Amino acid sequence: MPVLVDSNVILDIFTEDPRWFGWSARKLSEWANKDLLVINPIIYAEVSIRFERIEDLEDALPHGIFIREELPWEAAFLAGKCFLAYKKRKGTKTSPLPDFYIGAHAAVRDYALLTRGARHYRAYFPKLKLIAPSEDVDTKR
């Protein structure tokens, strides 16, 4: 099963986040050895903030490791429906959040999602297969 990799996991590694680097690096390596790793334009955009040049970003996200995939139209529709549910729950944002697009992409393609932000995804995509830390995970390097 392909695995969509959330930007927070990639950014944990690039920034050497003191809390999440170890967990994110282990999980990314583990899943890279088992399955295809997928990113989409939204994930690419979120990760790009760490880079001055697109060439550096491309080097950091090698095509041989990260498959680039467009956001499916069905995912855009599902993201809109999840955003509507968010608004009905008194959410304050005025446009769909990137997490809705990322979660919807994984959901409509039946991919697992590698993330450390499981709480948000569980709320709107209850059937989505999540690869996420448990509450008691050791996040040290």
Side-chain angles (χ1 to χ4, degrees), residues 67-83:
I67 306 300
R68 278 104 167 117
E69 194 171 285
E70 296 298 322
L71 187 70
W73 288 100
E74 299 86 355
F77 180 83
L78 180 57
K81 295 301 175 197
C82 290
F83 178 70

Side-chain angles (χ1 to χ4, degrees), residues 1-10 23-24 27-28 31-32 35-44 46-47 61 65-72 75 78 98-117 121 125 128-132:
M1 169 187 302
V3 175
L4 190 65
V5 182
D6 200 351
S7 52
N8 56 30
V9 172
I10 298 168
W23 183 88
S24 293
K27 289 300 178 181
L28 190 64
W31 287 94
D35 290 298
L36 296 175
L37 300 179
V38 178
I39 59 173
N40 64 31
I42 293 167
I43 295 163
Y44 190 92
E46 289 184 322
V47 172
L61 298 172
I65 296 174
F66 293 96
I67 306 300
R68 278 104 167 117
E69 194 171 285
E70 296 298 322
L71 187 70
L78 180 57
D99 288 348
F100 290 136
Y101 292 107
I102 293 167
H105 183 173
V108 302
R109 292 285 195 236
D110 198 26
Y111 293 167
L113 177 62
L114 175 59
T115 184
R116 64 172 165 76
Y121 291 111
F125 304 97
L128 187 60
K129 180 182 181 202
L130 295 173
I131 304 161

